[in-house]
Amino acid sequence: MAGSTVLTCASLLATGLLLAAPAANAATPAAATANLPASHTDGTAAPASTASVSALPGQTGQQLALQVANGLNPTRVTGTIAVAGQAVQGTLRVTARGRTLLEASAGAALTLDAPVTAADLTDHQLVLTLDYLPAVQNVCTAAQSAATLSKVALATSGTEAAPATVAEFLAPSVPAVLIPVPGNPPSDVSAAILAASAAVAHRYPDAALTLVPEPDAAARAAALPAGSRIITIAAATPDEQDAVSATLTTQAGRPALALTGHGEELRTAAQALANTKSALADSTTVTGMTATVPAAAGPEQTLADLGANTIKLAGYGTQETYLGVNQSQFGGPVSAVTLHLSGTHTAVPAGGQAALSVYWNDYLLSSHTLDGDSFDLTANVPAGQIQSRNGLRLRLTALPAGGDCSGPAGLLPMELTVDTTGSKLSAERGHSLKPGFARFPQVLGSTLPIAFDAGATAQENTISAAALAFALQRDSAGLLDVRLTDTAGLRDSSDSGLLVGATPETAEKVAAPLRLAGFRTVAARDIEFGVGTTAPYGVLEGFEQNGRNLLLLGGWAPDNATGATTAGTLQGSLAAHVLQLPGGWSALSRNLLVTQTTGYPVLLESNAITPQAEVTDGFRPLALWIVAAAAVLLLAFTARVLLRRRHQRHAGAYAAAREQAAAADTASGQ
């Protein structure tokens, strides 16, 4: 998205996720699911989408796109419009391809319910434009108000047309993708599933991903919205060709793409699903699909590199623009950021006033009074203000002579344009955040190594790891090169990565904050999460070890645990939970996410857990040295006391002897 649509405050799509969490007592591996329906079939209305769009008074129209599957025709669109803050007198308008669907006076709440047709579509999308038109176009006071269109549902009619080529299968937009996982997948198939999950997240950031065991695929496919896709990945049989093939099929009544092959070629073919050049695949079967991951971005990025092709503010009063800045856009973690901003503006009229203020995460970095016809400023972002996700906001405040913005002076409003190719953010490598979930995905750079341990089955590990790779990729600016490695290789390397299905032994070797054994919480604020020493649990941990950062997914259950409460099942439900969170990975905080067989997963800090046997064992040598040192100090203190007392006795005897001698001399003199 370019231009003012990307940059204007509150114009970004607030895309969330609706998740069907697996049942806690499911005996099969938990399915990782995220659902964001956009359309439905046969005249029925889809469930309300969690996508939304907001517009400020006087702002350029903001857009929300709803995908319509090929062969379906839209019939009716519904939604709600809410005005937050002090409503500005004016009009709210919703249009599609210039046709007005709703126009009403701005109020606290409005309902959108309008018929639509195929003539309202643009490239198989219903693009809704929301305008907030104030009655007075130029006002000098800041309008603390915003209109938000949400809970949008689109009804359709007709029958979805199956894609005829691989290129049509990889449509510009899809609402959901399902990937079935075999019961005991070989390592190359698991690696390809992980790569495919990241590729889907990169290519379709607003799509849902569902990962399920193969026997459950048909039932889950039936619940997917129209336009959804199924991707199956399997090892080729010995009599099949060596080259990886991608074949268009149908599964459970849904369009499906079957990838078959072996080894590294199968993984790179799955990774190629992220490449938009797949439009060249104009047949039902293609071979030789492959893709490489670009090098990680550098620590210096222009505003254009960050997605701001144009930034323009115009008008009297207060005008704002917003640009999201993630640490991953710099190719790695950063500890310092310097902003250099330059551009031009119209001349400030005699008697008028104009100022440009720059905010970083609502922290005022700089305020510059405008004069002449250009500006050039440099500001440093305090280290304490740098988060994983950040926001750069520019505010133009301008008043004409006399302060009357609606009079003749308003006919020549102030205009300010930022040089987006000359303005840049320069970062320094390092950490601005303490170890934990917030350091991801930026610490990964462009590579995500994943290792499977023996704490869960291969199928459980694949589903859990693919769900977490999907969540991490959604927060990463560039495509991650997802690779499967072995536990010892990841444990002994210096690379940051993800360890899934961790055993207690592995958690001990990597010095995880929470070792996989029975424990209790002690912090009062976590009293609702009182864990007994025999209660099974799953845990996702983010921590630093030997200068690199690790994510560890593991669990613990007593030896007599049933199949419904095994550590692997709990790990799967925890990975699925990460996809439920509105805001995705960035909604995670602290460094532990713990779940049990009942209740909601809880975010904890590792210091909220009592020391465990594995942890205290590691401190026993140190404790012995401390005890020994204390004993030496005690002996030294005792010896000093005894020596002082002996000295005092000798001094007293010496003083008494001198007194006796003096008395004897006095007596003899007499």
Side-chain angles (χ1 to χ4, degrees):
M1 213 179 292
S4 61
T5 303
V6 172
L7 298 169
T8 309
C9 183
S11 68
L12 298 177
L13 297 182
T15 304
L17 298 173
L18 298 174
L19 222 115
N25 58 355
T28 57
T33 313
N35 292 321
L36 181 61
S39 59
H40 219 266
T41 58
D42 302 326
T44 60
S49 165
T50 55
S52 64
V53 65
S54 299
L56 301 176
Q59 187 178 38
T60 303
Q62 304 303 298
Q63 295 183 333
L64 174 64
L66 300 175
Q67 180 70 18
V68 179
N70 190 24
L72 299 181
N73 294 312
T75 58
R76 182 168 293 276
V77 62
T78 59
T80 61
I81 302 177
V83 177
Q86 183 178 359
V88 174
Q89 185 177 2
T91 302
L92 290 172
R93 180 186 297 160
V94 179
T95 59
R97 293 198 66 178
R99 187 173 74 88
T100 300
L101 304 180
L102 170 69
E103 185 169 335
S105 298
L110 293 172
T111 299
L112 170 65
D113 188 352
V116 289
T117 67
D120 298 314
L121 299 182
T122 303
D123 295 332
H124 297 287
Q125 288 184 329
L126 180 67
V127 181
L128 303 177
T129 302
L130 175 64
D131 287 283
Y132 194 169
L133 308 172
V136 179
Q137 292 293 330
N138 295 299
V139 293
C140 292
T141 57
Q144 302 298 323
S145 179
T148 300
L149 171 63
S150 61
K151 299 180 181 178
V152 180
L154 179 63
T156 61
S157 63
T159 302
E160 180 182 354
T165 66
V166 174
E168 290 183 5
F169 176 89
L170 298 171
S173 176
V174 299
V177 175
L178 183 144
I179 302 179
V181 179
N184 187 25
S187 60
D188 55 353
V189 171
S190 291
I193 291 174
L194 302 181
S197 298
V200 167
H202 184 71
R203 182 163 186 165
Y204 304 117
D206 294 329
L209 177 68
T210 302
L211 295 138
V212 296
E214 277 186 343
D216 301 336
R220 299 302 292 269
L224 295 177
S228 298
R229 300 291 192 255
I230 298 176
I231 298 175
T232 63
I233 299 174
T237 60
D239 58 340
E240 290 179 323
Q241 59 184 357
D242 293 334
V244 176
S245 65
T247 304
L248 191 64
T249 64
T250 301
Q251 184 174 343
R254 301 285 185 179
L257 186 68
L259 292 178
T260 57
H262 291 292
E264 176 67 5
E265 292 78 11
L266 184 60
R267 187 190 72 85
T268 56
Q271 188 172 271
L273 296 173
N275 195 334
T276 56
K277 294 181 180 179
S278 59
L280 301 175
D282 56 355
S283 62
T284 57
T285 300
V286 296
T287 58
M289 287 179 60
T290 187
T292 57
V293 174
E300 184 173 287
Q301 297 289 309
T302 67
L303 298 191
D305 294 334
L306 299 174
N309 294 324
T310 59
I311 301 179
K312 182 178 180 180
L313 297 171
Y316 283 112
T318 300
Q319 307 295 328
E320 291 187 348
T321 187
Y322 177 90
L323 175 64
V325 182
N326 296 346
Q327 285 197 36
S328 64
Q329 291 176 291
F330 298 99
V334 299
S335 59
V337 176
T338 299
L339 168 67
H340 176 72
L341 194 67
S342 62
T344 57
H345 59 85
T346 55
V348 180
Q353 303 175 50
L356 175 64
S357 299
V358 181
Y359 295 84
W360 180 276
N361 295 339
D362 293 328
Y363 177 88
L364 180 62
L365 288 183
S366 176
S367 189
H368 186 79
T369 300
L370 300 179
D371 54 19
D373 60 2
S374 64
F375 62 93
D376 193 306
L377 61 90
T378 300
N380 295 318
V381 180
Q385 296 295 328
I386 302 175
Q387 304 299 320
S388 179
R389 282 186 171 187
N390 305 275
L392 175 65
R393 182 159 51 94
L394 308 181
R395 173 184 291 175
L396 171 64
T397 305
L399 291 174
D404 184 8
C405 301
S406 59
L411 300 177
L412 296 173
M414 281 291 301
E415 290 188 6
L416 180 146
T417 302
V418 176
D419 178 7
T420 57
T421 57
S423 300
K424 61 185 179 181
L425 288 168
S426 301
E428 295 181 11
R429 288 280 180 256
H431 292 296
S432 60
L433 302 166
K434 65 180 181 179
F437 299 132
R439 283 194 176 180
F440 291 86
Q442 61 268 20
V443 293
L444 299 172
S446 60
T447 304
L448 173 56
I450 300 177
F452 292 171
D453 207 2
T457 67
Q459 185 183 58
E460 291 171 331
N461 280 339
T462 302
I463 291 176
S464 297
L468 295 177
F470 182 82
L472 288 166
Q473 179 63 74
R474 269 188 165 171
D475 258 27
S476 181
L479 177 62
L480 293 172
D481 188 7
V482 182
R483 296 180 177 272
L484 187 61
T485 184
D486 59 274
T487 302
L490 179 59
R491 187 186 65 219
D492 299 333
S493 73
S494 60
D495 298 328
S496 298
L498 170 62
L499 182 59
V500 178
T503 62
E505 293 76 17
T506 300
E508 178 73 20
K509 289 178 180 178
V510 298
L514 176 60
R515 311 300 165 88
L516 303 181
F519 72 98
R520 292 182 185 275
T521 58
V522 295
R525 63 176 179 272
D526 300 315
I527 192 67
E528 70 277 8
F529 192 74
V531 180
T533 54
T534 60
Y537 65 89
V539 60
L540 177 65
E541 309 183 48
F543 57 98
E544 187 177 50
Q545 187 247 348
N546 292 339
R548 52 84 179 264
N549 291 269
L550 287 177
L551 290 171
L552 182 145
L553 180 66
W556 177 85
D559 295 336
N560 60 351
T562 64
T565 57
T566 62
T569 303
L570 293 174
Q571 292 171 54
S573 66
L574 199 58
H577 169 77
V578 174
L579 295 182
Q580 296 182 34
L581 299 173
W585 183 268
S586 61
L588 294 176
S589 61
R590 306 185 183 183
N591 67 344
L592 298 176
L593 179 66
V594 188
T595 189
Q596 291 186 268
T597 55
T598 60
Y600 197 76
V602 177
L603 285 165
L604 299 171
E605 281 287 349
S606 54
N607 59 13
I609 308 297
T610 58
Q612 302 158 267
E614 292 86 350
V615 179
T616 55
D617 286 346
F619 287 99
R620 282 178 183 171
L622 178 61
L624 293 176
W625 280 107
I626 292 174
V627 171
V632 171
L633 291 175
L634 180 61
L635 289 174
F637 177 76
T638 303
R640 184 176 180 181
V641 171
L642 294 176
L643 288 173
R644 171 178 273 185
R645 289 180 178 177
R646 182 179 179 183
H647 176 75
Q648 288 175 344
R649 288 198 302 270
H650 288 172
Y654 177 73
R658 289 194 62 180
E659 289 178 0
Q660 291 176 1
D665 291 342
T666 302
S668 62
Q670 293 177 350

